[in-house]
Amino acid sequence: NTQTAIYSTPLLKGEYVYFLTSKNALYALKADTGKRVWRFNKGYLQKISMRGSSSPVYHDGKIYIGLSDGTFYAVNAFDGREVWFRRLSPNEKFTDIDVTPIVLHDKLFVGTADGFMYALNPSTGATLWQRQYKAIIGMTADHQQIYLSMYEEVTALSQKNGIKAWTYTVEEGVPSKPLLVEDQLIFG
């Protein structure tokens, strides 16, 4: 019992299920029994927050997760110990990391609600590149580009350096998270 809402999409990896609660607690449960293996809890630190959550991502024995206070963590997938953390959002309001990170080509891509986009070293958390755009709502990637949905636009960035390749402007509102199907990018 987490005693709070679960906003993230659960991640099933091997014999464990991982998920993040609305109060920034990351849980690992045994998939076959539901028994708690560990809990990584940094507490609910943000006074003003977007209603959403980053979902956990697994890579090379680590779980990566963004929290509502603009911090980002790499946690040991087997014992729940912190491997490294970074404060990615310098602002005091709407600092959430609600977009699920992506790991590709030895880069960890992280977007924040206040518009910062990062490529990090997945082993150390060191910044490989950083750019600022608009509030990032969703992202997906192929082997060369990252596709971001932001207020009134979808933008493609180079994975190598984060430089904008192109932008598609939508007439009103916020486009959905982009979906990549073969060579087609779909959003609504």
Side-chain angles (χ1 to χ4, degrees):
N1 185 356
T2 65
Q3 299 179 349
T4 188
I6 299 168
Y7 292 151
S8 74
T9 300
L11 169 67
L12 175 62
K13 182 65 180 172
E15 60 186 273
Y16 301 104
V17 175
Y18 304 93
F19 60 88
L20 183 68
T21 71
S22 62
K23 293 191 176 180
N24 290 333
L26 175 64
Y27 284 80
L29 308 180
K30 291 286 281 182
D32 59 349
T33 66
K35 182 180 177 187
R36 186 169 88 185
V37 177
W38 53 259
R39 180 180 74 170
F40 178 79
N41 190 4
K42 288 300 175 182
Y44 190 68
L45 308 170
Q46 185 69 2
K47 292 179 182 173
I48 299 175
S49 176
M50 311 285 277
R51 190 158 178 94
S53 178
S54 166
S55 292
V57 169
Y58 176 92
H59 175 72
D60 198 25
K62 292 181 270 313
I63 299 293
Y64 298 100
I65 198 73
L67 302 183
S68 64
D69 65 348
T71 56
F72 192 85
Y73 288 84
V75 177
N76 184 298
F78 307 104
D79 63 19
R81 291 186 202 164
E82 180 181 310
V83 177
W84 56 259
F85 94 98
R86 294 280 313 274
R87 172 162 295 287
L88 296 181
S89 184
N91 298 317
E92 292 186 27
K93 294 182 181 177
F94 303 113
T95 61
D96 306 48
I97 300 174
D98 291 338
V99 178
T100 299
I102 297 172
V103 182
L104 280 172
H105 310 297
D106 295 323
K107 289 186 179 97
L108 172 62
F109 299 102
V110 182
T112 68
D114 56 355
F116 288 92
M117 185 67 203
Y118 293 86
L120 304 176
N121 178 311
S123 298
T124 66
T127 300
L128 303 172
W129 56 256
Q130 170 190 342
R131 302 278 183 263
Q132 186 171 13
Y133 297 103
K134 296 178 182 179
I136 300 167
I137 290 124
M139 68 178 171
T140 193
D142 60 20
H143 291 290
Q144 295 179 9
Q145 295 182 321
I146 307 159
Y147 304 97
L148 307 176
S149 58
M150 300 178 282
Y151 183 71
E152 295 186 340
E153 68 183 54
V154 172
T155 297
L157 309 178
S158 164
Q159 288 183 18
K160 183 177 178 180
N161 55 25
I163 293 175
K164 191 182 292 190
W166 55 260
T167 295
Y168 178 84
T169 303
V170 296
E171 301 237 352
E172 290 182 27
V174 178
S176 63
K177 174 185 171 187
L179 173 66
L180 194 61
V181 179
E182 296 179 16
D183 63 347
Q184 301 272 330
L185 187 66
I186 302 167
F187 55 91

